[in-house]
Amino acid sequence: MLTVGRTARRFGLSRSTLLYYDSIGLLSPSGRSSSNYRLYSEEDLRRLELIHLYRAAGLPLADIARVLTAGRTTLREQLETRLRVLDDEIGKLRSQQRLIADLLRARVALRRTRTLDKATWVSILRASGMTDDDMRRWHVEFERVAPEAHRDFLESLGLDAPAVARIRAWSRDDR
Amino acid sequence: MLTVGRTARRFGLSRSTLLYYDSIGLLSPSGRSSSNYRLYSEEDLRRLELIHLYRAAGLPLADIARVLTAGRTTLREQLETRLRVLDDEIGKLRSQQRLIADLLRARVALRRTRTLDKATWVSILRASGMTDDDMRRWHVEFERVAPEAHRDFLESLGLDAPAVARIRAWSRDDR
DNA sequence: TTGCTCCTCACGTCACGTGAGGTGGC
DNA sequence: TTGCTCCTCACGTCACGTGAGGTGGC
């Protein structure tokens, strides 16, 4: 029977983590000492071992609780779901990386040319998740609310007068 | 001058996001209508554009606030820092993926052999970040507190009696 | 007596989302 | 009058970390 501190140290966890697990009912030590200290049994430790393992896989505590009471099928499902979520999360972080790379490169370009070019701008928007439709809506709104600023912006991208005019007309087009 | 809802829609943000930015002083609309509606000016929108961009790069709002008042050097630093943090985060998620892959493969193996083998177990522990020292400490504690369970566990990994005895002796060795 | 570990609240975190209850504008 | 948008609180989220104030054990 181990106290909180010892149990925590053995698993490389903090005491407050174990207190938290107790408070949410995920892992309540099966005993208490005469002085009301939490005492973790071998079975508690086996349970904690599993919790620790699934946490290392990034499963939320609520899912872990479910897995521990339900069977292997649930575990497999949760792990497969987590695998997909991880793919997603990594994808998002990757796009943040690409965006930052673009921004840093754009700043280098900006040092040379004093301005962003259209390709860089568009790539930045795309990297942040903007679709063609989003961009269209963005132009339309920009043109509708602040046409001068819109023109100013388009020119700042290095577009020539006809190109600016074309985009603005397209932005005013209904639908 | 745009209201909150319109501004939010234009940027694909939620109203509550803008209310939050206002509450923490990151972006306070420069005007209010007669009926106390928030009114965002063109300058506000330009500021929001930058905030949105940096958020898409994953910068925390506190850092964005700093970047907006400080200069390009700060921006560059923050972006480079963020790039390193992203490397780290992606690395962690990748190791979670590897761990899950191991767990799923282990379950397949388990279906065939009714047990985990040592290599799989060790790879799982490694994937979850355990070092040799951690493992050694783990064995020592296990042996110290629950020698029978320790033996049981070692045997469950498919180790033969001499191997189990060797590991247990090593676990009792001082230091 | 001095540390060390333990106990139980209770608040803070980060970036919002979600009501609750109520008031203007078309 | 009916929607729609707006307003200001205030609480919830996720997994803990960090005191605050106090009590056992070696």
Side-chain angles (χ1 to χ4, degrees):
Chain A
M1 301 291 262
L2 290 177
T3 60
V4 174
R6 284 188 169 285
T7 307
R9 236 170 292 129
R10 170 173 320 178
F11 283 86
L13 299 171
S14 70
R15 226 166 299 181
S16 54
T17 295
L18 293 182
L19 295 182
Y20 179 63
Y21 290 173
D22 190 4
S23 78
I24 63 170
L26 176 62
L27 178 70
S28 296
S30 36
R32 290 279 181 148
S33 75
S34 59
S35 48
N36 204 28
Y37 286 14
R38 267 164 265 256
L39 293 178
Y40 291 83
S41 70
E42 284 183 34
E43 201 187 325
D44 295 336
L45 296 185
R46 278 194 292 276
R47 188 178 169 88
L48 180 52
E49 204 173 275
L50 286 177
I51 293 171
H52 191 207
L53 180 64
Y54 299 149
R55 271 267 72 203
L59 288 187
L61 295 181
D63 291 354
I64 293 177
R66 246 170 267 136
V67 164
L68 289 178
T69 62
R72 300 95 215 273
T73 315
T74 307
L75 172 60
R76 172 168 280 276
E77 284 167 9
Q78 300 283 7
L79 290 179
E80 281 164 356
T81 301
R82 177 69 187 152
L83 218 45
R84 282 193 293 278
V85 170
L86 279 170
D87 267 344
D88 238 65
E89 287 184 10
I90 290 176
K92 279 181 200 157
L93 297 185
R94 283 224 169 292
S95 85
Q96 292 189 2
Q97 277 191 325
R98 277 196 302 275
L99 172 57
I100 293 177
D102 283 345
L103 285 171
L104 289 173
R105 245 185 287 124
R107 293 201 59 71
V108 169
L110 195 140
R111 254 198 239 148
R112 283 201 214 102
T113 70
R114 282 292 292 157
T115 182
L116 239 57
D117 66 343
K118 189 190 166 195
T120 305
W121 176 250
V122 169
S123 86
I124 290 169
L125 293 182
R126 286 212 191 287
S128 70
M130 244 196 187
T131 66
D132 281 0
D133 279 22
D134 293 334
M135 290 194 203
R136 154 82 178 185
R137 270 191 289 280
W138 183 78
H139 276 293
V140 169
E141 269 295 283
F142 206 159
E143 180 64 23
R144 200 173 67 71
V145 181
E148 286 310 290
H150 192 202
R151 192 195 63 193
D152 196 288
F153 170 77
L154 292 172
E155 288 172 352
S156 82
L157 290 182
L159 298 176
D160 58 42
V164 170
R166 212 165 50 243
I167 292 178
R168 296 187 68 198
W170 170 75
S171 305
R172 280 191 301 267
D173 226 9
D174 293 308
R175 222 241 71 89
Chain B
M1 303 290 263
L2 290 177
T3 60
V4 175
R6 285 189 167 287
T7 307
R9 235 169 293 130
R10 172 174 318 178
F11 283 86
L13 299 171
S14 70
R15 227 166 298 182
S16 54
T17 296
L18 294 182
L19 295 182
Y20 179 63
Y21 290 174
D22 190 4
S23 79
I24 63 169
L26 177 61
L27 178 69
S28 296
S30 36
R32 289 280 181 147
S33 76
S34 58
S35 47
N36 205 28
Y37 285 17
R38 267 164 265 257
L39 293 177
Y40 292 83
S41 70
E42 284 183 34
E43 202 186 325
D44 295 336
L45 296 185
R46 277 194 293 277
R47 188 178 168 90
L48 180 53
E49 204 172 274
L50 287 177
I51 293 171
H52 190 207
L53 180 64
Y54 299 149
R55 273 267 72 203
L59 289 187
L61 295 180
D63 291 354
I64 293 177
R66 248 171 264 135
V67 163
L68 289 177
T69 62
R72 299 95 214 273
T73 315
T74 308
L75 172 59
R76 171 167 282 276
E77 284 166 9
Q78 300 282 8
L79 290 179
E80 280 163 356
T81 301
R82 177 68 187 152
L83 219 45
R84 280 193 294 277
V85 171
L86 279 170
D87 267 344
D88 239 64
E89 289 184 8
I90 290 175
K92 279 180 200 156
L93 296 186
R94 282 222 170 293
S95 86
Q96 294 190 0
Q97 276 191 327
R98 275 195 304 274
L99 172 57
I100 292 177
D102 283 346
L103 285 172
L104 289 173
R105 245 185 287 126
R107 292 201 60 71
V108 170
L110 195 140
R111 253 196 243 149
R112 284 202 214 101
T113 69
R114 283 292 293 159
T115 183
L116 239 56
D117 65 343
K118 188 189 167 195
T120 305
W121 176 252
V122 170
S123 87
I124 290 170
L125 294 182
R126 287 214 190 286
S128 72
M130 244 197 187
T131 66
D132 281 1
D133 279 22
D134 294 333
M135 291 194 205
R136 154 81 179 184
R137 270 191 289 278
W138 183 79
H139 276 292
V140 169
E141 271 295 283
F142 207 160
E143 180 64 23
R144 199 173 67 73
V145 181
E148 287 310 289
H150 191 201
R151 192 194 63 191
D152 196 288
F153 170 77
L154 291 173
E155 288 173 352
S156 82
L157 289 182
L159 299 175
D160 58 306
V164 170
R166 213 166 48 245
I167 293 178
R168 295 187 68 197
W170 168 75
S171 303
R172 282 192 298 270
D173 226 10
D174 294 306
R175 221 239 73 89

